[in-house]
Amino acid sequence: MNVLFPATVEAALEALCAEPDAHVMAGGTDLLVRCRAEQNRPETLVCLEKVADLAGFEISDGRIRIGAATSMTAVLENAAVRERLPLLHGAAKVFASPLVRNMATLGGNVCTASPAADMLPPLYALGAEVELRSLSGVRTMPVNDFIVGPGQMALAPGELLSAIIIPIPEGRTIQYFEKVGRRKALAISVVSLAALLRVEDGVIAEARLAWGSVGPMVIRCPEAEALLKGRSLTLGALREAGEKVRDTVSPISDVRASAEYRRQVAANLLLRLAQISGAH
Amino acid sequence: MIISFVLDGEARTLEVDGGARAVDILRESCGVTAPKEGCGTGECGACTVLVDGVPRLSCLMLAAQLDGRAVITAQGLASDGPHPVQEALADLGGVQCGYCTPGIAVTAAEFLERHPDPTREEIREALSGNLCRCTGYHKIVDAVEDAAKRLGSGCGRDE
Amino acid sequence: MPSVQTIGSRSRRFDAMDKACGRERFASDEYPEGMLWAGALRAGVPHGVIRGMDTARAKAMPGVVAVLTAEDVPGENRQGFIHWDMPVLCGDKVRHAGDAVALVVAETREVLSEALASIILDIESLPVVDGLDAALAPDAPRVHDLETGNILKEATLRKGDACEALTHCAVIVEETFFTPQQAHCFLETENGTARMDEDGTLHMTVSTQAPFRDRFEIGRALGLPPNRLHLTAPYLGGGFGGKDGATVQCLLALAAMHAGGRPVKMWWSREESLLAGYKRHAARMHFRLGAEADGTLTALVCDLDYDTGAYAHLGVEIMALGLEHASGPYRVEHLEANGRCVYTNNPVAGAFRGFGVAQVCFAFEGVMDRLAAKLDMDPLELRAKNALRPGDRNGVGVGMISSTGMKECLAGLRGHPFWQSRDQWVREAPPLTRRGVGIAAVHNGMGYGRGLADSAVAKVRLTEEGRFRVYNSVSDMGQGNSPTFVQMACEILQQDESLMELVQPDTERSHPSGSSSAGRTTYTYGNALIKACEAMRDKLLHRAAMVLMVDDASVLELVPGAVRHAVTGQELPLAALVGMLHPDDRFCIGEAMMPVTQDVPEGGEAFRLGFPHLIFPYAAHLARVEVDELTGNVSVSDYVAFTDGGRVLNPQNFEQQVQGAVAQGLGYALWEDCFAEGGRLLTTDLSNYVIPGAGDLPDIESHAVETEEQSGPFGMKGIGEVGMNGPLPAVASALLRMGLPMTRAPFTPERILAAFDGDNS
């Protein structure tokens, strides 16, 4: 196997052009596990760990730009993320294990394009954009347009995910992330909920809700969001929204849980929001 | 490809298949068997080593990624005598079959550098990527708590 | 300053520091010069007939040394050590997806995996027997060609007339319970190295719980004389029963026979371990328990079905222990226990800590809780009222003439703040959370039981340097038997541990002492070692008397590194004394055998081996449990165990055994399940076979209830297993008290939510 260690984004992009079949490896915690399971070894790997300008945080104009190859440990420990994007911080906190977080990257998790990827529901709820670089330039698009199917991304040949750009929510928000897994750490999500609520004068002005592991991709539920808008945050309102969620999600049954369990819990998790906000 | 790195303080240069796993290179080519393999998929943490001071899973690293790095295993951690974490693990019963212990020792040693006075909950969280099938973790947590005291009271290796 | 490590003191284990520093070498750490890799091709199909196998491509591959199939197996091609029904390599039929059908020996791991992948296997699938119901159906396909269908063994134990007695009971409770297959998940997967000498001697280093017995199992399977098999068993990276019986041994030996004298290594991946390794038997248990109105237990009728998977392994013996323990640590006058051990196409079930007992504890404690509820009695007092006392006869009629501390364990729980404050704790549950406090009383027979000669032969040597070397000959899989042996030797020989050496089992250096299992390791070998050390002490004092010219050896004593005259203080260094001893005279051997009972109930003669038991450790456990109402997630907030293990030799080691067993027991209660569909395992690795991590378990409080086991070394009895049996029933008990009557383990969030739905409150 040929492993390349470009030092710059340009060099990485050139390597991808030169070797169209090359796989990109960031932290390797997903890629190498899949190679083992599928018993295949890519001919060429382009390893991003030495590309300096792919990692790090930039905070400006009401947004936080996180380099795609930023480790999950760095995401978890970043003060701006903790203070301004508690939703993302909350997901990073329960991401795999400390050891995996030292290696895995935010961009890598996005590029699994898995409905069970812990970081995706928060990014959907936050309205994050991805920044894509190629030798011909840079483009951005909303993360929900980037993910086009399970394991599939709108990534052109020779293109690289270079950053995730997250707008900082305005006003007073409730941001809550919960992952239901089979254990505390190293859990693959059975259901996850990322909720971002803007509450003004006790009334929900905006609700953005995204679920993981209850469909082929991350699922938003506009009906539930619309239902909550203009109401106060009560168990009753959340229960009604939950009914919409049950109809929207399309989970499967697997070794971790049945579809019915996932459907029920996807709705149930909304009720936690009442507890978080102290409402009844 | 040829890689050069420092393993437990000793410079190594060897020719490897770039796709070989770091854990195999360390154990087979370098003869340092402190990193153990328990799963091969990053779930158990038995293969943990410090790479440039950061705990990483050597089963999910390629040998090529070691090039230019400094690697410390549980053996290297004990090169000037057991690290206080290793002492505490042994003294307080944190060791049973001992197969997970080298990974736990390096994970805990690095954790204590950043968190000199941790709570039991913080210790459990820090070790949540290191599975142990023998102890139930209670005494491992005891040991890391105790090691923090040993390090804090100046009984550490720097004295 | 040297100190004598005394019995009863809390002290660091002899093996701990080398392990903590990564210096200890496990079997998997061996990479002998010039070695080859061996690997097995697995059937991949749970039930089928092998129509053909094309190995031509593999054989032609550069770097492939040998490709072997059933035809190349020279012996009986049958593994097992009580029942021999498991082929080393299947030739005609496969009975579970992990069956080995071909063996490849290659220069590198890469070539090995390519060669294995290149073998074309033609298996015609047969209908799959995927569980007990399928196996017991009237027209079920047969896993083995038995007249009894898929029933490997059926037996009934009878004491009194339980069916008749039930008709007179004031109250009867009835329930059916289910437990899953559980994987051992030792962190060091099955592995070993082997090399065949020019003279035909096979040298093997294996992660095994039974190196001495392995010689016979390998020898029989491969047609080799057992005395040409030389096994060493370094410290194991965990065992728990899963390395009791051949794992890699026969395959590895076969590979070494075709390696031209080169060493061969075989190391199962985690995935292979989960697929092909032994598991705890899944069980279905129907219980009917009858009592008088005051809670006195009268009669138990139970039907136990154990799924032994594709091969027998120790299935019959495991079922026997289930029947033996079915009535719990209680006085029950009438018992009828019916058992069936059944073949299926599931992974092979075998020995696992709590051997057959962990299953029935769920059932008997489950019916005890239901009885307490029905009688409106306190569940702890109901247990205490019926708990076995010294002199009682247990469920199968064996007289409790050994230490019996069940009541004392329960008394410990009764006084514990967590029990005293249980109602308040439940009342203070946070929103969306239900709380419950559960308890369980359990026991676990120690030793092999009748008919298997639970014996050990210990050896201790005075080395040329004047140090003592203990030759452990029962594998140390982490339980700490061997450091305890050092502690015993230090005590008797009055030495500091710095003067001790410890050798792990080696069939050429130490003597047969049975397997590392059944809570017997420290007990049986320890009794033998006491004799060996006492003989050594007497020998040295007498020899020293000659050198020091004293007439009476009783004025001499051993001190660290020397023999000392108690009055004059004159010392003779052991390094000097050893020179006076002929090399053949520098060791002592001691032998011991565990006592057995001759009290055998009606039906017990069905089990010639391993039944019944005489000595039991006991335990009473408490769990404080919380359930999240939104997700059904169960978490154990606090855990307490009171354990009667006789005298405690080292509190640290005692607590390790309790805490580790409780952790595995909580895994069994909440997470672990080898989940298969149609005989195909879906829990293929540690991402979906969940064992608890550091964040999933509470602190586990352990209290010793010290009794004196007269027959045991320094008054101890083995507690390796009993702690495994409490958590599942204790958690179930807590759940029952919060309105969740769980009958199927593990208690997954999904099952809990379903139980909420069945609960109208």
Side-chain angles (χ1 to χ4, degrees):
Chain A
M1 192 196 282
N2 189 20
V3 190
L4 306 174
F5 291 92
T8 63
V9 179
E10 287 67 31
L13 293 170
E14 275 159 21
L16 286 178
C17 279
E19 302 258 5
D21 293 333
H23 282 56
V24 175
M25 179 169 116
T29 55
D30 184 68
L31 179 74
L32 295 179
V33 171
R34 271 191 289 129
C35 289
R36 175 186 172 96
E38 290 156 18
Q39 298 236 322
N40 71 28
R41 280 159 52 109
E43 283 291 305
T44 304
L45 277 184
V46 177
C47 180
L48 301 181
E49 67 179 16
K50 293 189 173 149
V51 184
D53 44 352
L54 265 184
F57 302 82
E58 279 171 33
I59 300 148
S60 61
D61 299 341
R63 40 178 243 176
I64 298 182
R65 179 186 182 279
I66 305 177
T70 305
S71 78
M72 287 306 306
T73 297
V75 172
L76 178 64
E77 290 177 352
N78 184 272
V81 170
R82 186 173 60 240
E83 284 155 22
R84 313 298 293 277
L85 306 173
L87 187 53
L88 196 70
H89 178 77
K93 211 168 166 173
V94 293
F95 184 93
S97 73
L99 299 171
V100 173
R101 290 198 291 267
N102 286 343
M103 305 168 72
T105 66
L106 181 60
N109 192 242
V110 169
C111 287
T112 62
S114 159
D118 288 335
M119 305 313 289
L120 282 178
L123 293 176
Y124 274 58
L126 287 162
E129 294 197 320
V130 294
E131 179 192 282
L132 308 174
R133 298 258 316 251
S134 66
L135 287 176
S136 50
V138 184
R139 60 178 181 142
T140 58
M141 69 170 80
V143 68
N144 50 317
D145 291 339
F146 179 62
I147 310 284
V148 295
Q152 293 174 324
M153 290 151 285
L155 201 59
E159 207 170 30
L160 192 68
L161 172 68
S162 49
I164 292 99
I165 299 160
I166 308 161
I168 297 169
E170 288 172 20
R172 195 180 147 257
T173 57
I174 293 171
Q175 297 188 31
Y176 181 68
F177 180 82
E178 180 168 347
K179 172 166 78 166
V180 179
R182 289 297 320 278
R183 62 182 167 209
K184 288 260 171 62
L186 286 163
I188 298 173
S189 146
V190 170
V191 185
S192 64
L193 167 67
L196 192 153
L197 303 179
R198 200 151 48 77
V199 183
E200 289 168 1
D201 303 325
V203 172
I204 301 168
E206 187 185 10
R208 286 196 245 154
L209 308 169
W211 283 264
S213 300
V214 287
M217 292 186 280
V218 170
I219 286 185
R220 293 281 297 266
C221 182
E223 295 83 358
E225 292 174 357
L227 191 145
L228 287 175
K229 196 169 171 179
R231 311 224 0 213
S232 54
L233 190 55
T234 60
L235 274 178
L238 291 166
R239 277 211 183 88
E240 282 179 50
E243 286 308 310
K244 303 285 180 198
V245 175
R246 292 179 68 96
D247 296 340
T248 304
V249 298
S250 56
I252 56 159
S253 296
D254 65 13
V255 64
R256 279 175 277 278
S258 71
E260 184 41 41
Y261 175 81
R262 290 184 156 104
R263 193 181 296 279
Q264 185 179 352
V265 172
N268 282 0
L269 286 182
L270 280 180
L271 303 184
R272 201 86 75 197
L273 295 171
Q275 201 185 346
I276 302 302
S277 70
H280 294 289
Chain B
M1 66 185 289
I2 298 208
I3 59 169
S4 294
F5 63 107
V6 178
L7 176 58
D8 290 337
E10 192 185 324
R12 306 268 188 158
T13 299
L14 48 150
E15 179 156 16
V16 298
D17 176 343
R21 301 184 310 168
V23 66
D24 296 329
I25 293 302
L26 296 174
R27 292 172 53 83
E28 296 169 31
S29 310
C30 303
V32 175
T33 55
K36 309 293 183 198
E37 178 166 359
C39 69
T41 54
E43 303 280 340
C44 81
C47 66
T48 306
V49 295
L50 302 179
V51 179
D52 288 347
V54 178
R56 299 185 67 153
L57 298 156
S58 62
C59 78
L60 293 185
M61 280 186 81
L62 303 174
Q65 290 176 275
L66 296 178
D67 188 40
R69 309 276 203 168
V71 176
I72 293 177
T73 71
Q75 276 163 276
L77 201 63
S79 55
D80 301 328
H83 184 280
V85 158
Q86 292 169 315
E87 293 255 16
L89 282 166
D91 287 349
L92 276 87
V95 181
Q96 286 188 220
C97 89
Y99 197 79
C100 71
T101 317
I104 285 182
V106 293
T107 304
E110 191 268 350
F111 167 70
L112 288 175
E113 278 178 25
R114 291 179 293 116
H115 300 86
D117 187 21
T119 64
R120 288 181 79 83
E121 280 314 299
E122 287 166 344
I123 295 168
R124 285 185 180 275
E125 159 61 22
L127 295 179
S128 61
N130 297 83
L131 294 177
C132 168
R133 192 58 159 165
C134 293
T135 63
Y137 306 101
H138 184 122
K139 291 192 185 303
I140 293 175
V141 178
D142 288 349
V144 178
E145 254 186 332
D146 188 70
K149 287 192 201 119
R150 294 180 195 219
L151 285 158
S153 69
C155 298
R157 57 208 342 237
D158 293 335
E159 292 300 305
Chain C
M1 190 176 132
S3 63
V4 177
Q5 194 188 25
T6 50
I7 291 293
S9 70
R10 177 179 294 272
S11 51
R12 179 168 90 193
R13 284 168 55 150
F14 190 73
D15 58 338
M17 193 58 91
D18 281 340
K19 288 176 173 177
C21 296
R23 292 190 291 256
E24 189 56 61
R25 289 182 78 85
F26 297 80
S28 55
D29 294 329
E30 298 302 327
Y31 297 93
E33 186 77 31
M35 62 163 237
L36 300 165
W37 286 89
L41 179 67
R42 304 286 170 185
V45 173
H47 198 193
V49 175
I50 301 175
R51 291 292 176 216
M53 205 183 322
D54 182 355
T55 59
R57 273 186 60 205
K59 281 182 168 151
M61 222 172 253
V64 169
V65 174
V67 179
L68 306 166
T69 62
E71 290 169 11
D72 302 302
V73 180
E76 294 189 18
N77 194 9
R78 287 287 179 276
Q79 300 176 90
F81 50 94
I82 291 183
H83 311 271
W84 300 269
D85 62 357
M86 180 169 157
V88 179
L89 291 172
C90 296
D92 45 8
K93 194 178 169 183
V94 298
R95 297 181 178 85
H96 76 115
D99 255 333
V101 294
L103 178 67
V104 173
V105 187
E107 293 285 347
T108 67
R109 263 186 299 208
E110 290 71 32
V111 174
L112 174 64
S113 97
E114 275 177 49
L116 286 169
S118 78
I119 296 173
I120 300 163
L121 191 55
D122 177 11
I123 297 184
E124 185 187 325
S125 286
L126 294 170
V128 177
V129 181
D130 66 357
L132 291 167
D133 286 330
L136 295 167
D139 53 349
R142 290 186 181 188
V143 179
H144 292 266
D145 198 16
L146 290 184
E147 283 179 12
T148 51
N150 288 315
I151 298 177
L152 165 63
K153 179 88 169 180
E154 187 164 11
T156 297
L157 296 182
R158 274 198 191 84
K159 189 180 73 169
D161 188 343
C163 286
E164 206 273 333
L166 272 185
T167 63
H168 305 297
C169 287
V171 56
I172 294 176
V173 288
E174 178 168 2
E175 191 54 85
T176 305
F177 299 88
F178 301 85
T179 57
Q181 269 208 342
Q182 184 183 23
H184 303 77
C185 282
F186 26 72
L187 283 190
E188 184 196 25
T189 50
E190 297 87 342
N191 77 91
T193 54
R195 178 179 58 83
M196 190 164 242
D197 255 355
E198 279 170 20
D199 71 357
T201 305
L202 197 53
H203 302 278
M204 303 180 73
T205 299
V206 180
S207 190
T208 173
Q209 289 174 231
F212 287 92
R213 196 191 58 217
D214 285 347
R215 295 171 306 162
F216 297 93
E217 187 170 356
I218 302 164
R220 180 181 179 124
L222 300 180
L224 298 170
N227 61 5
R228 305 301 285 277
L229 290 162
H230 167 213
L231 274 93
T232 55
Y235 285 108
L236 280 67
F240 316 114
K243 294 172 182 170
D244 189 9
T247 57
V248 297
Q249 287 89 325
C250 298
L251 292 165
L252 188 56
L254 181 62
M257 290 163 76
H258 292 85
R262 291 172 67 182
V264 186
K265 184 178 181 82
M266 176 180 249
W267 189 358
W268 293 358
S269 68
R270 175 60 59 188
E271 292 87 341
E272 189 172 17
S273 174
L274 282 166
L275 178 70
Y278 304 118
K279 307 287 184 295
R280 184 192 303 285
H281 289 68
R284 173 173 64 196
M285 302 165 287
H286 177 242
F287 270 54
R288 273 187 298 157
L289 177 66
E292 292 172 24
D294 69 351
T296 305
L297 302 183
T298 312
L300 173 70
V301 177
C302 62
D303 302 290
L304 310 180
D305 290 326
Y306 283 82
D307 176 351
T308 201
Y311 299 105
H313 195 270
L314 290 169
V316 173
E317 293 65 36
I318 285 161
M319 175 182 79
L321 263 79
L323 297 173
E324 181 183 1
H325 291 75
S327 56
Y330 305 115
R331 288 183 307 282
V332 183
E333 204 179 330
H334 301 276
L335 172 80
E336 180 183 318
N338 306 298
R340 290 183 292 188
C341 189
V342 180
Y343 283 123
T344 65
N345 294 124
N346 286 325
V348 187
F352 195 154
R353 190 182 212 169
F355 199 84
V357 186
Q359 291 91 330
V360 292
C361 292
F362 178 35
F364 72 69
E365 286 298 88
V367 287
M368 284 299 275
D369 276 324
R370 284 159 179 78
L371 180 64
K374 207 160 180 177
L375 290 169
D376 198 23
M377 273 184 81
D378 180 288
L380 193 149
E381 299 312 325
L382 175 68
R383 287 169 168 89
K385 180 184 180 73
N386 291 286
L388 285 170
R389 300 161 307 200
D392 284 343
R393 287 193 176 272
N394 72 6
V396 295
V398 172
M400 296 290 94
I401 56 170
S402 64
S403 55
T404 307
M406 188 68 257
K407 277 184 97 80
E408 291 76 5
C409 290
L410 284 164
L413 272 194
R414 185 188 289 121
H416 194 280
F418 289 165
W419 184 247
Q420 295 289 327
S421 68
R422 62 193 183 280
D423 294 335
Q424 188 191 347
W425 187 75
V426 168
R427 274 198 308 276
E428 290 169 357
L432 302 178
T433 303
R434 288 193 195 185
R435 281 180 167 179
V437 179
I439 56 166
V442 294
H443 65 332
N444 201 112
M446 185 185 76
Y448 289 158
R450 190 177 50 105
L452 279 168
D454 193 317
S455 82
V457 185
K459 181 163 101 177
V460 60
R461 176 181 288 278
L462 181 63
T463 71
E464 221 165 310
E465 298 76 31
R467 298 155 60 83
F468 291 100
R469 183 182 301 145
V470 175
Y471 291 81
N472 174 29
S473 50
V474 275
S475 298
D476 192 333
M477 49 184 164
Q479 74 269 50
N481 52 318
S482 68
T484 306
F485 299 153
V486 172
Q487 203 184 348
M488 290 178 175
C490 281
E491 171 90 11
I492 297 168
L493 298 168
Q494 290 294 299
Q495 298 301 303
D496 180 82
E497 72 164 33
S498 63
L499 299 167
M500 305 300 293
E501 296 174 11
L502 177 59
V503 175
Q504 293 304 319
D506 180 329
T507 58
E508 286 189 353
R509 301 175 76 192
S510 47
H511 299 270
S513 297
S515 56
S516 185
S517 60
R520 65 177 292 277
T521 55
T522 307
Y523 177 99
T524 310
Y525 186 91
N527 268 339
L529 182 64
I530 288 173
K531 291 184 187 169
C533 289
E534 287 175 347
M536 175 62 80
R537 177 192 62 200
D538 293 347
K539 174 187 286 197
L540 295 181
L541 296 183
H542 280 88
R543 304 303 164 84
M546 293 193 278
V547 179
L548 296 170
M549 292 190 282
V550 296
D551 300 325
D552 178 4
S554 70
V555 302
L556 300 178
E557 61 184 8
L558 278 164
V559 294
V563 174
R564 189 169 74 132
H565 193 292
V567 182
T568 64
Q570 188 187 358
E571 286 194 4
L572 174 62
L574 292 173
L577 179 59
V578 70
M580 319 284 174
L581 271 65
H582 187 276
D584 290 350
D585 191 24
R586 292 174 186 166
F587 66 89
C588 287
I589 283 180
E591 315 206 16
M593 198 175 290
M594 194 183 295
V596 294
T597 179
Q598 296 305 326
D599 296 338
V600 179
E602 185 188 334
E605 55 282 351
F607 304 112
R608 284 184 304 110
L609 305 175
F611 172 92
H613 293 76
L614 176 62
I615 304 169
F616 296 81
Y618 298 87
H621 289 190
L622 176 148
R624 299 216 290 191
V625 176
E626 289 190 342
V627 172
D628 176 44
E629 293 182 337
L630 298 187
T631 61
N633 187 56
V634 181
S635 59
V636 177
S637 316
D638 303 277
Y639 203 94
V640 182
F642 284 84
T643 310
D644 161 24
R647 288 268 176 259
V648 177
L649 307 193
N650 181 347
Q652 185 185 87
N653 201 336
F654 185 92
E655 289 158 9
Q656 285 184 326
Q657 281 301 295
V658 171
Q659 290 164 346
V662 167
Q664 272 180 340
L666 289 173
Y668 193 40
L670 297 181
W671 297 283
E672 300 184 36
D673 186 354
C674 296
F675 191 66
E677 250 175 23
R680 281 175 201 273
L681 192 70
L682 299 180
T683 45
T684 50
D685 60 34
L686 290 185
S687 72
N688 44 36
Y689 187 86
V690 174
I691 65 170
D696 300 307
L697 296 174
D699 278 344
I700 298 160
E701 195 180 308
S702 164
H703 300 274
V705 172
E706 288 200 78
T707 58
E708 172 86 28
E709 175 48 49
Q710 295 288 345
S711 69
F714 299 101
M716 66 79 70
K717 51 188 174 181
I719 56 150
E721 303 194 89
V722 69
M724 173 76 217
N725 302 336
L728 172 56
V731 172
S733 166
L735 293 170
L736 182 72
R737 286 158 67 79
M738 56 177 104
L740 300 169
M742 306 304 292
T743 55
R744 195 179 286 272
F747 311 133
T748 60
E750 180 153 8
R751 287 177 178 155
I752 296 287
L753 272 201
F756 276 141
D757 289 344
D759 161 24
N760 296 322
S761 65

